[in-house]
Amino acid sequence: MRGPFTVEQVDRSRVTRRRITFFTLVFLFTSLATWFMADLLWRDGMMPLEWVVLVLFFILFAHIAVGFSTALLGFYVFNRERDPYRITRSIEGEALSDLPLATTAIVMPVFNEDPSRVFEGLRVIYRSLQLSGRLENFDFFILSDSNDPTNWIEEEVAWLELCKQLNGFGRIFYRKRRISINKKSGNVADFLRRWGRKYRYMAVLDADSIMTGESLVKLVAMMERNPKVGILQTAPRVVNGVTLYSRLQQFSNRLYSPLFLAGLNYWHQGESNFWGHNAVIRVAPFIDYCCLPELPGTEPFGGRILSHDFVEAALMRRAGWGVWLAYDLDGSYEEGPPTLIDSAKRDRRWCQGNMQHSWLLFARGFHPANRVHLLMGIMGYVASPLWMFFLLVSTIHTFRDVISGAYTHLHAESYTSIFGYLVEVPEALALFSFTLLLLFLPKIMGVVLALQNQRGKAYGGAFRLVLSALLETLASTLLAPINMMFNTKFVVYILMGQGVGWVTQKRDANDDTDWREAIITHAGQMAFGVVWGVSAFILVPSFFWWLSPVLAGLVLSAPISIFLGKASFGRQAREIGLFLTPDETEPPQELVRLQQHLAECYRHMPPLAPLRNDYGLLQAVLDPYVNALHVSLLRQRRGNREVRSYFIELRKKLLAEGPAELELREKMALLLDPESMIWLHEQLWKQPSEQLAEWWRLAMRQYNVLTATPVTALYR
């Protein structure tokens, strides 16, 4: 297909053929592997336990086959004249200055994030749009739900300084919700109710997102050229990894994800998915059709939907609007968690959200493709307990047959190793080889594709690329059983009715690895691996070697977690050229500027430790500049006499006894009350020092020291 293109030109019959091809591949791969497994199990007769093993194997191998088929189709796309049905073709070859745009709000919901990272990231995006010459079409909104007073106050100061330095008043806005309802999705919904109708599009970012001005302009232009597209999702690249774990994640993301993304676009087309950030949304249909339903019952399965993005994509598609993936658009970035434990904490939240989607699998009006997305999201976590159950049932099956004498050949010397068993049982060798092919061929294809496109130099050279890929494969093999155990635990907890709170994602990295947390977190996994391994080795040595990749990850889980969480090891790997990505060796200017700005911010010393915990409250009460700013951003409200009496008592208690004697909700209540903040500032400077708590006396003595490097300098 040549010439101008819009998504309305997509041949639906061809899309149907693509999906038939995809699901046929999944069926063929799964059927072939299941036939090999059935042949092995039938050798000694099919009992109920064997049927359980076979059914579990079929389900789990189908999950593997979906991923492999997607990568295989992606490899096919890259080895032909690209995919003619890609949405980026609708603006291909046009100059940035000629692209059609419309009013767009760039919204960034934040919750107790590092203010320096948030606002320096926004500065980079703002400057990039400015350099593109298309800034006049975009406004910025920081939507805060932070419940930490220090974060809240620093966000306000950072916003004011950013506006002053960029002349961004009237274009960069900050809003702090009084009541944080329904977490991130509720934050965005509140924005849309108040200001959404002023904008045709909304670009949603995470606190760690970076998007170039060029990518934002192109996304909006693609929406303008394709008026039936409701959501346009980019494929963010993981960047700025410091620890060895985060560097492994960004390397695998950069090397392997292009295959999977091209494959997804091949069969998704206009029924793709939404990942919640680094995407552009058409505001009007989103407001009209994407209101999230309240699920029956209570958490963890009921109540408010935690993972909103998949559901919003399904609702948008149900209303007749397309959801597309701009998989080949450059300039979209995000950051990943620095450690294995932090990644597991994030997965705990995602797990509950995806499990809630079980309510919606058969929702009225959803397209089949969206039901597949929801099912695959559920399987992303349910597969772990199923794998765990499969391995345990297989262990019981083997132990039973050995003890009963049914598999007397397992005691032969030739079967004391995995290699002997594979040689003597051709079906086992075929299944083993076929499974390895589906698991590791996508990685090989990713390396081949990088070398074919002469991108080896961008990964540190062909030798370092191959070596990094081998080491990443080894690491992912060890991490797989650890993640399996984590997800199994999460699913079991959810089935037992334990919900999850909204926690701030850790995004920074340092060498202060918490050994105690690592040992406590992984102790159960290590103990389970030891018991399982010893039992297998005593009863069936050959089966022990089959399990050895799983057992190694479990037994060594704590040392692996600590080792991969070291920032120093990550820096050493970068110095010797391991796990390099094109975004490091050929970084865009936006990422370079971000690192320069953050390095400048973090050069400043933090406040003294005794004052740190309530430093935001200190600023808002003590500093005239910050106090005036904070009060100006509050809504003026007056309560009844009883409410005012409550605030009067809180004020007196704060000055006389210090912040440590107040609960967090009491501090937040005072910070939300403009009258109290004005009174506290005046009285703090008027009252004799002996009437103030020692904490305030220390704060006032250090005031000159703290203002020698004013807080405003932290955001320049």
Side-chain angles (χ1 to χ4, degrees):
M1 182 183 293
R2 304 287 183 181
F5 167 80
T6 62
V7 298
E8 284 79 7
Q9 295 174 258
V10 172
D11 183 353
R12 298 309 302 177
S13 63
R14 178 172 290 193
V15 174
T16 301
R17 290 197 297 272
R18 288 182 171 202
R19 292 179 179 173
I20 291 173
T21 300
F22 171 74
F23 287 106
T24 300
L25 287 174
V26 173
F27 176 76
L28 289 176
F29 293 140
T30 305
S31 299
L32 182 60
T34 305
W35 184 84
F36 282 128
M37 174 59 80
D39 195 44
L40 284 171
L41 294 173
W42 283 335
R43 294 164 68 90
D44 296 285
M46 291 290 286
M47 303 294 288
L49 194 60
E50 282 78 4
W51 281 109
V52 171
V53 171
L54 188 61
V55 171
L56 286 173
F57 180 84
F58 175 82
I59 296 171
L60 293 169
F61 205 91
H63 190 239
I64 295 174
V66 166
F68 177 77
S69 300
T70 301
L72 190 63
L73 291 173
F75 192 69
Y76 163 75
V77 168
F78 275 109
N79 281 277
R80 54 175 296 189
E81 194 180 348
R82 305 180 71 185
D83 191 343
Y85 291 160
R86 62 184 192 282
I87 195 169
T88 49
R89 280 197 60 228
S90 59
I91 60 166
E92 200 169 61
E94 295 190 53
L96 210 63
S97 57
D98 296 333
L99 293 175
L101 297 183
T103 53
T104 304
I106 298 175
V107 301
M108 180 181 284
V110 297
F111 177 74
N112 293 338
E113 303 286 350
D114 175 10
S116 294
R117 174 61 184 83
V118 169
F119 286 89
E120 290 307 325
L122 279 178
R123 182 196 302 275
V124 166
I125 298 171
Y126 188 96
R127 289 293 196 195
S128 185
L129 275 170
Q130 204 169 39
L131 291 172
S132 75
R134 310 303 301 269
L135 177 63
E136 69 276 3
N137 296 101
F138 296 86
D139 288 339
F140 293 76
F141 290 84
I142 302 96
L143 311 177
S144 176
D145 269 344
S146 298
N147 61 3
D148 177 82
T150 297
N151 278 83
W152 177 11
I153 301 304
E154 290 183 354
E155 287 167 4
E156 291 180 340
V157 175
W159 165 76
L160 180 60
E161 291 305 307
L162 189 66
C163 289
K164 287 165 59 179
Q165 294 158 19
L166 297 178
N167 193 24
F169 292 107
R171 193 169 296 281
I172 305 174
F173 303 93
Y174 173 83
R175 193 281 320 268
K176 167 73 174 71
R177 280 203 296 176
R178 293 179 67 89
I179 303 175
S180 302
I181 299 174
N182 204 19
K183 305 179 175 65
K184 177 182 175 180
S185 60
N187 200 353
V188 174
D190 183 72
F191 162 78
L192 291 173
R193 282 191 294 269
R194 296 174 184 271
W195 300 288
R197 296 293 182 181
K198 296 181 180 180
Y199 299 93
R200 186 178 299 178
Y201 303 113
M202 170 179 66
V204 184
L205 304 181
D206 264 1
D208 60 357
S209 296
I210 289 291
M211 292 190 70
T212 64
E214 181 179 347
S215 66
L216 285 165
V217 169
K218 287 183 175 180
L219 283 170
V220 175
M222 281 186 266
M223 295 291 276
E224 283 287 276
R225 286 282 166 79
N226 299 277
K228 289 303 293 179
V229 174
I231 299 176
L232 182 52
Q233 175 68 59
T234 68
R237 297 171 183 166
V238 181
V239 295
N240 297 334
V242 178
T243 64
L244 197 53
Y245 179 82
S246 58
R247 291 190 58 76
L248 282 165
Q249 300 306 305
Q250 75 180 26
F251 174 79
S252 60
N253 168 270
R254 190 66 174 87
L255 184 60
Y256 309 134
S257 64
L259 280 173
F260 291 94
L261 294 167
L264 287 175
N265 182 73
Y266 182 86
W267 70 273
H268 280 185
Q269 293 295 282
E271 293 168 353
S272 193
N273 219 337
F274 174 41
W275 301 332
H277 60 92
N278 290 49
V280 170
I281 298 171
R282 195 176 298 270
V283 169
F286 192 81
I287 293 175
D288 293 339
Y289 302 113
C290 294
C291 181
L292 295 174
E294 185 93 11
L295 296 178
T298 58
E299 285 195 4
F301 276 102
R304 294 283 186 173
I305 294 176
L306 204 57
S307 290
H308 55 92
D309 37 21
F310 281 33
V311 183
E312 288 162 345
L315 291 170
M316 184 71 82
R317 189 68 193 94
R318 184 174 70 173
W321 296 85
V323 180
W324 280 79
L325 173 64
Y327 73 94
D328 56 341
L329 180 70
D330 292 330
S332 179
Y333 308 97
E334 65 174 337
E335 297 173 3
T339 69
L340 176 59
I341 294 176
D342 289 303
S343 179
K345 291 176 182 177
R346 183 184 65 176
D347 278 348
R348 172 67 179 89
R349 184 174 71 252
W350 288 357
C351 179
Q352 179 176 327
N354 284 18
M355 293 290 285
Q356 287 180 316
H357 294 166
S358 56
W359 282 106
L360 304 170
L361 280 175
F362 303 101
R364 185 181 306 165
F366 279 5
H367 279 249
N370 293 114
R371 299 187 197 278
V372 172
H373 298 329
L374 294 172
L375 177 61
M376 294 308 299
I378 296 169
M379 279 299 298
Y381 292 95
V382 173
S384 290
L386 289 179
W387 271 114
M388 191 71 202
F389 187 50
F390 172 76
L391 291 171
L392 290 176
V393 169
S394 300
T395 303
I396 294 170
H397 172 265
T398 304
F399 286 0
R400 183 203 65 184
D401 289 340
V402 169
I403 293 172
S404 66
Y407 282 173
T408 55
H409 57 269
L410 285 172
H411 294 289
E413 291 184 4
S414 62
Y415 285 79
T416 56
S417 72
I418 185 173
F419 306 107
Y421 182 69
L422 292 176
V423 170
E424 295 295 328
V425 185
E427 295 87 348
L429 178 60
L431 180 59
F432 181 72
S433 303
F434 189 58
T435 304
L436 290 182
L437 179 73
L438 266 64
L439 288 174
F440 296 112
L441 186 57
K443 295 179 182 287
I444 298 172
M445 290 190 294
V447 174
V448 170
L449 192 63
L451 295 175
Q452 274 184 349
N453 296 335
Q454 299 181 343
R455 297 290 289 162
K457 185 178 180 181
Y459 290 91
F463 173 76
R464 288 188 175 89
L465 168 61
V466 173
L467 179 59
S468 297
L470 290 173
L471 292 174
E472 188 279 331
T473 300
L474 174 62
S476 62
T477 302
L478 293 172
L479 288 171
I482 303 174
N483 289 322
M484 177 187 70
M485 290 290 287
F486 273 134
N487 291 340
T488 299
K489 177 181 176 181
F490 299 156
V491 171
V492 170
Y493 277 11
I494 290 168
L495 293 175
M496 293 171 61
Q498 295 189 22
V500 62
W502 192 22
V503 297
T504 305
Q505 179 177 319
K506 181 180 176 183
R507 305 186 193 275
D508 61 333
N510 55 63
D511 262 349
D512 298 326
T513 305
D514 191 339
W515 282 77
R516 182 175 180 274
E517 181 184 25
I519 292 172
I520 292 174
T521 302
H522 296 286
Q525 299 172 1
M526 292 189 293
F528 185 82
V530 169
V531 172
W532 194 7
V534 169
S535 303
F537 188 78
I538 292 174
L539 289 174
V540 195
S542 63
F543 188 67
F544 169 83
W545 294 113
W546 275 105
L547 287 175
S548 58
V550 176
L551 297 173
L554 295 179
V555 173
L556 300 174
S557 55
I560 290 171
S561 182
I562 294 167
F563 175 75
L564 294 181
K566 286 282 189 179
S568 59
F569 293 159
R571 286 189 286 267
Q572 290 171 14
R574 179 171 181 172
E575 288 171 3
I576 62 177
L578 290 177
F579 312 119
L580 293 175
T581 68
D583 302 310
E584 290 179 312
T585 57
E586 303 168 355
Q589 284 302 307
E590 287 78 6
L591 295 183
V592 174
R593 292 192 196 103
L594 176 63
Q595 293 304 315
Q596 291 172 345
H597 295 333
L598 288 175
E600 180 66 21
C601 286
Y602 296 147
R603 280 196 312 108
H604 299 281
M605 294 295 291
L608 296 181
L611 307 176
R612 178 59 198 169
N613 289 340
D614 291 293
Y615 185 54
L617 187 62
L618 179 153
Q619 291 177 279
V621 174
L622 182 61
D623 191 298
Y625 175 85
V626 179
N627 180 264
L629 166 64
H630 178 69
V631 171
S632 70
L633 292 175
L634 295 175
R635 297 180 64 181
Q636 303 296 322
R637 292 185 176 184
R638 287 195 60 85
N640 55 36
R641 181 175 299 178
E642 183 178 347
V643 171
R644 301 322 303 168
S645 299
Y646 168 76
F647 278 116
I648 290 171
E649 292 302 317
L650 277 186
R651 299 172 196 166
K652 294 177 180 178
K653 183 178 181 181
L654 176 62
L655 292 184
E657 302 179 23
E661 300 303 316
L662 270 66
E663 297 179 8
L664 176 61
R665 61 178 179 82
E666 294 174 326
K667 298 173 189 176
M668 292 294 290
L670 284 173
L671 285 167
L672 283 166
D673 184 52
E675 181 181 313
S676 294
M677 295 309 299
I678 295 171
W679 185 92
L680 283 167
H681 178 67
E682 292 177 348
Q683 293 303 311
L684 183 64
W685 289 105
K686 286 181 179 179
Q687 288 189 15
S689 61
E690 60 270 13
Q691 295 182 16
L692 298 173
E694 174 60 28
W695 192 91
W696 287 112
R697 293 200 292 271
L698 173 62
M700 298 182 77
R701 285 197 301 270
Q702 296 296 331
Y703 180 70
N704 289 333
V705 176
L706 295 173
T707 54
T709 302
V711 66
T712 57
L714 298 176
Y715 309 101
R716 288 177 183 168

